Amino acid sequence: MISKYSLKLPKVIFGGEDPTEELVGVLENEGVKKAALFTDASLRKLGLVDPTLEACQKAGAEVTIIDNIPPEPTYGQVQEVVDQVAGESVDIVIAVGGGSVMDSAKLACVAAGADYTVHDLLTDPKRAKKQIKCVAVPTTAGTGAEATINAIVAVPEDEVKIGIVNDDMMPDYVLLDVRMVQNLPRSIAAATGVDAMCHAIECFTCVKANPFSDTFALEAFDLIVNNIERACDDKDAIDAKRAMQVAALYGGIAITASGTTAVHGLSYPLGGKYHVPHGVSNAILLSPVMHFNEPAIRDRLALAYDRAIRGGAETDEAKSAAVIERMDQIVEHLDIPKKLEELGVTDAPIDWLAEAGIQQQRLLSNNKREVTLEDARAIYQQII
Ligand SMILES: NC(=O)c1ccc[n+]([C@@H]2O[C@H](COP(=O)([O-])OP(=O)(O)OC[C@H]3O[C@@H](n4cnc5c(N)ncnc54)[C@H](O)[C@@H]3O)[C@@H](O)[C@H]2O)c1
Ligand SMILES: [Zn+2]
């Protein structure tokens, strides 16, 4: 356990029933005259931005809608929307979307009008200073980006994804509105839900795990393991969907307090090279990495078992095996691909993947078991 740790949170997180009125209050208190609403065209079409537009109207705030944010954007695509925001004098950015939209909004809040670009932040994230306040309304459950200080962008020239990390990227306000995730398509609910499960178990087994992160990571893991299938399968299971939304937020808080490990680290080259959705690339790597880590994290997995699975296993070895098996079962049940081949990738260059994976030291250094180049190669070998 590390000796120094901290808990960083958004200023206010609103949950429960329809938070539109709370947003009106936020806009009024912040004296917002003009808001930029970040979203994507399909979410706009689905009407998911309507409650936010209604709140802006009630608060008398003018709105500029920016809906050209692609999934898993490159730093260049994010820069384009940053420039759009810089051209307008907005008082607040409201993100209604998944991790891609929220990360773009978080970057816009530190980069619009600043004397550095998003590209500059790739190598020097310390330069980021908040210029505009940020409201996050997540529509997936999810990345937890609403409660992290990270934004992830693709770097196409290197075929990888990179996380930009700075305290100033923590959103100021979060609105958890269950209507946002009520009609999530099953495949998106599954991939984003497994991403949240990875956040929980990785943060709980991270070298930086601490009492603050454990509280959120364990609760997230318990909520996810016991709700994810129903939330994905049953359109009317609002309680399970709400549990997933809360769990995703807790996963984000755990990331900020602790950190993800080799599942996320090794998944970045898959996302960067093959544009595999973030949750899918993590789901593919989850089982091989957990088996690799097991000897080093057995006691932690046993604790996760006691909290979330509560079956008849008695030894740490049996408990930790049961946790890994339960996570495998979830990925299988949710029909998420387990091999790159299922995604049409038949010629994965193992050497390139291992070299690119091992570069992800920001996350690999969080892993309880050291991952060497040979280890990375062996792990990738299992997913082709
Ligand atoms: N900042 C962080 O801490 C953090 C953590 C994890 C992941 N990420 C990043 O977040 C991105 C992934 O975000 P994501 O997994 O939320 O997916 P996403 O934001 O990329 O969205 C995926 C797709 O789902 C659709 N979608 C989203 N909500 C929907 C809804 N309610 N109904 C119907 N369709 C909906 C979107 O339109 C999009 O086409 C990646 O770039 C990843 O690297 C960031
Ligand atoms: Zn993730």
Side-chain angles (χ1 to χ4, degrees):
M1 187 86 57
I2 54 166
S3 57
K4 282 187 175 210
Y5 40 90
S6 61
L7 186 61
K8 294 168 191 161
L9 296 165
K11 186 173 159 198
V12 189
I13 301 166
F14 297 100
E17 293 310 311
D18 176 7
T20 311
E21 283 307 318
E22 279 75 12
L23 182 54
V24 175
V26 166
L27 298 173
E28 287 173 349
N29 286 341
E30 294 286 345
V32 173
K33 304 244 172 325
K34 191 167 184 184
L37 171 51
F38 277 42
T39 190
D40 73 35
S42 63
L43 299 177
R44 192 175 176 185
K45 224 170 170 179
L46 289 168
L48 292 180
V49 299
D50 294 352
T52 299
L53 289 174
E54 189 193 320
C56 291
Q57 194 183 21
K58 279 191 181 169
E62 199 188 319
V63 186
T64 298
I65 301 183
I66 295 180
D67 67 358
N68 54 336
I69 299 161
E72 321 236 350
T74 64
Y75 68 84
Q77 288 167 324
V78 174
Q79 186 64 48
E80 280 173 32
V81 293
V82 168
D83 294 341
Q84 277 175 267
V85 173
E88 318 249 348
S89 51
V90 307
D91 310 303
I92 208 159
V93 172
I94 308 173
V96 179
S100 301
V101 168
M102 288 190 283
D103 282 358
S104 304
K106 286 159 66 170
L107 284 166
C109 288
V110 295
D115 61 358
Y116 47 81
T117 62
V118 176
H119 185 265
D120 294 331
L121 297 180
L122 292 175
T123 47
D124 193 4
K126 285 197 183 73
R127 290 181 75 180
K129 285 273 163 298
K130 187 162 291 202
Q131 317 284 331
I132 308 171
K133 290 219 170 135
C134 184
V135 180
V137 186
T139 65
T140 57
T143 63
E146 65 274 18
T148 71
I149 57 172
N150 310 353
I152 320 290
V153 290
V155 180
E157 56 275 31
D158 297 333
E159 298 183 304
V160 292
K161 296 186 76 178
I162 286 193
I164 299 170
V165 186
N166 185 297
D167 282 0
D168 275 27
M169 283 195 303
M170 177 66 84
D172 300 279
Y173 300 94
V174 176
L175 271 70
L176 291 191
D177 182 344
V178 79
R179 293 172 299 181
M180 299 294 130
V181 295
Q182 203 166 337
N183 297 311
L184 255 183
R186 185 175 188 269
S187 62
I188 298 176
T192 57
V194 169
D195 182 31
M197 182 169 78
C198 293
H199 297 160
I201 203 69
E202 288 178 71
C203 290
F204 189 62
T205 56
C206 175
V207 297
K208 295 197 288 202
N210 61 73
F212 295 159
S213 62
D214 285 357
T215 300
F216 289 95
L218 262 191
E219 177 65 7
F221 190 67
D222 189 4
L223 287 169
I224 294 167
V225 163
N226 292 299
N227 285 286
I228 189 169
E229 286 134 325
R230 226 158 41 83
C232 292
D233 293 348
D234 180 356
K235 196 169 99 356
D236 300 319
I238 300 299
D239 57 331
K241 291 172 194 281
R242 191 175 315 224
M244 286 302 296
Q245 206 173 33
V246 170
L249 169 89
Y250 289 176
I253 296 172
I255 292 177
T256 306
S258 167
T260 53
T261 62
V263 178
H264 269 68
L266 296 180
S267 86
Y268 280 161
L270 299 184
K273 190 169 183 65
Y274 299 116
H275 310 291
V276 179
H278 176 75
V280 174
S281 58
N282 289 324
I284 290 176
L285 281 158
L286 179 61
S287 188
V289 172
M290 282 294 138
H291 280 106
F292 172 81
N293 280 349
E294 197 276 338
I297 61 172
R298 185 171 296 165
D299 55 335
R300 302 295 283 176
L301 292 180
L303 289 172
Y305 176 92
D306 290 339
R307 173 65 173 269
I309 299 186
R310 305 179 287 269
E314 285 177 2
T315 62
D316 277 7
E317 196 173 357
K319 289 177 180 179
S320 101
V323 168
I324 298 178
E325 195 186 320
R326 177 74 185 107
M327 292 193 289
D328 282 351
Q329 218 178 51
I330 287 171
V331 173
E332 175 85 35
H333 175 93
L334 295 175
D335 306 310
I336 303 175
K338 287 220 217 55
K339 302 266 184 204
L340 287 178
E341 197 183 13
E342 294 167 60
L343 296 161
V345 178
T346 50
D347 57 346
I350 295 291
D351 288 342
W352 182 87
L353 284 173
E355 293 282 354
I358 208 77
Q359 304 293 320
Q360 301 293 328
Q361 286 301 320
R362 179 176 75 84
L363 302 183
L364 291 188
S365 62
N366 288 343
N367 207 57
K368 277 253 173 81
R369 183 170 171 193
E370 190 197 347
V371 184
T372 65
L373 184 64
E374 265 319 301
D375 296 330
R377 202 192 309 270
I379 289 169
Y380 285 123
Q381 196 72 48
Q382 292 174 55
I383 63 160
I384 58 172

